[in-house]
Amino acid sequence: MAIEVDIDRDACMGSGNCVYEAVGAFDLDDDGIATVVDVGAVTESQLVSAARLCPTRAITVRRDGITLH
């Protein structure tokens, strides 16, 4: 089961919701834009929750090529 997480850097506004919801999986870079650090640091449920909490819907989570959010 391969989990993939993509962030649309153009859509990300740097709210940090993902960083707080999925500690260790995301961080904000020097420009204040979210980056994926380690998807293995959290559960799939936490990744999906972080994507749902993104105010600009900049995060996409996929498992085995199927979009979860």
Side-chain angles (χ1 to χ4, degrees):
M1 165 167 82
I3 297 288
E4 299 174 49
V5 178
D6 295 311
I7 298 175
D8 180 342
R9 291 185 56 83
D10 293 329
C12 179
M13 63 181 262
S15 71
N17 290 356
C18 58
V19 175
Y20 295 109
E21 185 66 20
V23 176
F26 299 97
D27 200 359
L28 298 180
D29 66 14
D30 292 339
D31 295 323
I33 302 298
T35 61
V36 179
V37 177
D38 181 10
V39 296
V42 297
T43 66
E44 178 181 300
S45 176
Q46 287 172 294
L47 291 170
V48 171
S49 180
R52 286 185 178 144
L53 289 173
C54 178
T56 61
R57 304 289 189 228
I59 302 171
T60 303
V61 180
R62 293 183 195 86
R63 179 181 2 102
D64 297 328
I66 297 170
T67 300
L68 304 176
H69 191 278

